[in-house]
Amino acid sequence: MIRDFNRVVRYLAYTLEILVLFMLQETPGLLPSIFGVRPVLLFPVVVAIAMFETEIPALAFGVLGGLMCDFGFSGMLGFHALVLGVLCFFISLLIRVYFQSNLVTAILTGIWSIGLTICAQWFFLYFFQYSHPAYAFVHHYLPKYFYTMLFLPLVYLLNRGLSQALRPQEESRL
């Protein structure tokens, strides 16, 4: 009974975190623009959540974060939901079966998963529609990737504390 209550509280906290960071991400002028780009705070958040949850909740939070990105970027609805949902499912599976969840693993996972997401975003939403795709990749997508990666350790530590506080000790995967 208490385990179910802790799970519900943890899921509500994750949902609130996604909503708050979405509002911070989308508020003009709140986060400084570096090289003309702003970070995508939802990418590291869903990666960090996937590291602490089982596959199905990780998939659900990946889809939620992706839908929020789709609403904010005003691109193709469902693109980020699909990409982040699948990525979060596999990140959760990899962490649960093969790796331990720690800061180094989070950074390495963030490097490839956020990089893959931004490359897919560039390839499917920019490459086929506009001219000069290499220029856009170097001057827009790469700075966005590196700026987004700066937030990964902070978000990971926040979610690790949240997961430890709201998870019974015998169920903990840390």
Side-chain angles (χ1 to χ4, degrees), residues 5-67:
F5 178 73
N6 283 343
R7 184 178 300 139
V8 168
V9 171
R10 195 171 63 242
Y11 291 171
L12 287 174
Y14 288 149
T15 305
L16 183 64
E17 177 186 16
I18 288 172
L19 290 173
V20 166
L21 289 178
F22 174 72
M23 288 188 288
L24 290 175
Q25 166 185 310
E26 294 299 317
T27 303
L30 187 61
L31 294 172
S33 176
I34 297 178
F35 297 116
V37 297
R38 292 185 307 163
V40 183
L41 298 177
L42 295 180
F43 290 170
V45 168
V46 296
V47 168
I49 290 171
M51 294 184 76
F52 296 106
E53 293 299 326
T54 58
E55 293 85 3
I56 300 302
L59 173 89
F61 285 112
V63 168
L64 175 64
L67 284 173

Side-chain angles (χ1 to χ4, degrees), residues 5-161:
F5 178 73
N6 283 343
R7 184 178 300 139
V8 168
V9 171
R10 195 171 63 242
Y11 291 171
L12 287 174
Y14 288 149
T15 305
L16 183 64
E17 177 186 16
I18 288 172
L19 290 173
V20 166
L21 289 178
F22 174 72
M23 288 188 288
L24 290 175
Q25 166 185 310
E26 294 299 317
T27 303
L30 187 61
L31 294 172
S33 176
I34 297 178
F35 297 116
V37 297
R38 292 185 307 163
V40 183
L41 298 177
L42 295 180
F43 290 170
V45 168
V46 296
V47 168
I49 290 171
M51 294 184 76
F52 296 106
E53 293 299 326
T54 58
E55 293 85 3
I56 300 302
L59 173 89
F61 285 112
V63 168
L64 175 64
L67 284 173
M68 299 301 266
C69 286
D70 288 334
F71 293 142
F73 295 150
S74 68
M76 188 175 6
L77 186 63
F79 174 77
H80 291 96
L82 176 68
V83 170
L84 289 176
V86 169
L87 271 175
C88 287
F89 179 86
F90 285 113
I91 288 169
S92 176
L93 183 66
L94 286 172
I95 295 296
R96 191 172 60 81
V97 174
Y98 296 111
F99 300 113
Q100 290 184 346
S101 180
N102 57 37
L103 187 59
V104 174
T105 307
I107 291 171
L108 292 174
T109 302
I111 287 171
W112 69 264
S113 63
I114 294 172
L116 189 63
T117 304
I118 288 181
C119 285
Q121 184 182 34
W122 168 76
F123 187 72
F124 290 111
L125 301 179
Y126 191 88
F127 185 79
F128 293 117
Q129 294 181 355
Y130 301 101
S131 61
H132 308 294
Y135 180 84
F137 185 77
V138 170
H139 293 284
H140 179 73
Y141 289 93
L142 279 181
K144 180 175 24 174
Y145 168 72
F146 289 116
Y147 196 11
T148 300
M149 285 300 296
L150 291 176
F151 292 92
L152 183 66
L154 178 66
V155 169
Y156 171 80
L157 293 173
L158 172 73
N159 283 305
R160 186 179 85 187

